[in-house]
Each structure stands twice: as structure tokens, then as C-alpha cells.
Amino acid sequence: MGPEQKRNDLFVELFSFNHSRIMSFIYTLVPNVSDAEDIMQETAKVLWEKFDTFEVGTNFVSWAVTIAKYQVLSYRRRNNTK
């Protein structure tokens, strides 16, 4: 298994293990379940795209919820909500 595959596997492991924590964070900011699930989908995509910037050994959840926060803000801008 090459280094890229190991990194991909690490992402899947970290994301799967922490999915509910990230989702809970989004729910605190977006009470509508459907909207929160859409934001989670967008967040997952961005996490995957930016995983090369994640420093292994640091706090994945902290990194992920920071990205989720920006996805929520983007959602609010698009939908003119607070």
C-alpha cells in the first residue's frame, strides 16, 4: 500500500469515527435537519479536498468543525439567513 492510499484510508477512518461529532456541531448552528445534512455533505467534500492541509497528529475534529463553520456561514450567505 502506497503513501497516498494510507492517507486516503486515514481520512476515511478519521471522518467515519468523527462524523457524528461534526454533524452535532452543524446541528447547533442549523436547526433544519435537511439543511444541516446538505451542509454536512458540502463539508465532507471540502474536508476531502483539503485533507492534504491537515497535519496528522493534530485534532481532526477541531480542523473539521472549523471548515464546517465556514460552510454554515456560506450557506447563510447564500440563503440570507442568520
Side-chain angles (χ1 to χ4, degrees), residues 7 10 14 28 35 40 47 51 59 62 70-71 81-82:
R7 190 143 176 95
L10 177 62
L14 290 169
T28 65
D35 292 341
M40 183 63 186
L47 291 173
F51 192 59
N59 189 326
S62 178
Y70 286 108
Q71 293 304 309
T81 62
K82 293 185 178 185

Side-chain angles (χ1 to χ4, degrees), residues 8-60:
N8 293 349
D9 290 348
L10 177 62
F11 174 82
V12 170
E13 178 183 339
L14 290 169
F15 183 75
S16 298
F17 185 76
N18 294 292
H19 180 274
S20 63
R21 292 173 77 185
I22 301 164
M23 193 73 224
S24 294
F25 172 78
I26 294 170
Y27 280 138
T28 65
L29 300 174
V30 182
N32 181 290
V33 173
S34 179
D35 292 341
E37 289 173 350
D38 289 346
I39 292 167
M40 183 63 186
Q41 289 285 347
E42 293 171 15
T43 300
K45 179 179 179 271
V46 173
L47 291 173
W48 175 253
E49 291 169 348
K50 294 184 179 256
F51 192 59
D52 286 344
T53 67
F54 173 70
E55 190 173 324
V56 176
T58 61
N59 189 326
F60 179 81

